[in-house]
Amino acid sequence: MTEDDNCEITSIQSLIGCTGRRWIMGVISQLEERQFYLEDLTGAVPIDLSNAKITSGFFVENTVILAEGELLSNGIFQVNTCGFPPLEDREASLSMLMGLDFFGGGVTAAEETVSSMILFFM
């Protein structure tokens, strides 16, 4: 928690060498049979959900979650609580992204964003 009661999200790569409670956001994956991982753009870490308080919802592989916990000395991230990231209004997201295309297309012009919305709803 920061001074103004906000949580700071830590990348998985930044967990190395850190102690204490951390918040990470990533995708649930099963890189090895019977072992779940949390992945982000910087890496993957095995997770232990056995004692986690989980919010309501349907959690499956490839689900993006926000997890609070601690990296143990054995390299496993012990999850204390986890849930879905907070919802955000589409217009707010688009204004914050400023045209950034997460699917590898670079930056999208505002006109293309509006026209793709029209095509999507037709």
Side-chain angles (χ1 to χ4, degrees):
M1 300 292 275
T2 61
E3 291 177 10
D4 53 355
D5 292 332
N6 291 318
C7 299
E8 184 177 314
I9 297 175
T10 303
S11 67
I12 291 173
Q13 183 180 25
S14 297
L15 288 175
I16 299 169
C18 290
T19 58
R21 186 173 78 158
R22 302 280 182 221
W23 290 88
I24 56 176
M25 184 164 52
V27 175
I28 298 173
S29 61
Q30 192 174 177
L31 301 178
E32 299 172 17
E33 192 160 335
R34 297 182 181 225
Q35 177 62 61
F36 288 98
Y37 286 75
L38 197 56
E39 291 184 89
D40 68 7
L41 295 175
T42 66
V45 64
I47 57 174
D48 179 3
L49 296 165
S50 61
N51 297 318
K53 296 177 189 170
I54 300 175
T55 62
S56 62
F58 193 58
F59 295 87
V60 296
E61 286 184 66
N62 301 318
T63 299
V64 176
I65 65 167
L66 187 58
E68 175 268 323
E70 184 173 359
L71 187 64
L72 303 176
S73 59
N74 61 2
I76 295 176
F77 188 76
Q78 176 69 51
V79 178
N80 297 327
T81 56
C82 75
F84 294 112
L87 297 175
E88 184 174 80
D89 186 292
R90 184 179 192 280
E91 286 77 26
S93 295
L94 288 175
S95 68
M96 293 295 289
L97 296 175
M98 296 181 278
L100 182 62
D101 178 8
F102 286 101
F103 297 103
V107 177
T108 307
E111 299 82 24
E112 292 175 355
T113 303
V114 172
S115 64
S116 66
M117 283 177 38
I118 292 169
L119 289 174
F120 179 73
F121 289 109
M122 293 181 107

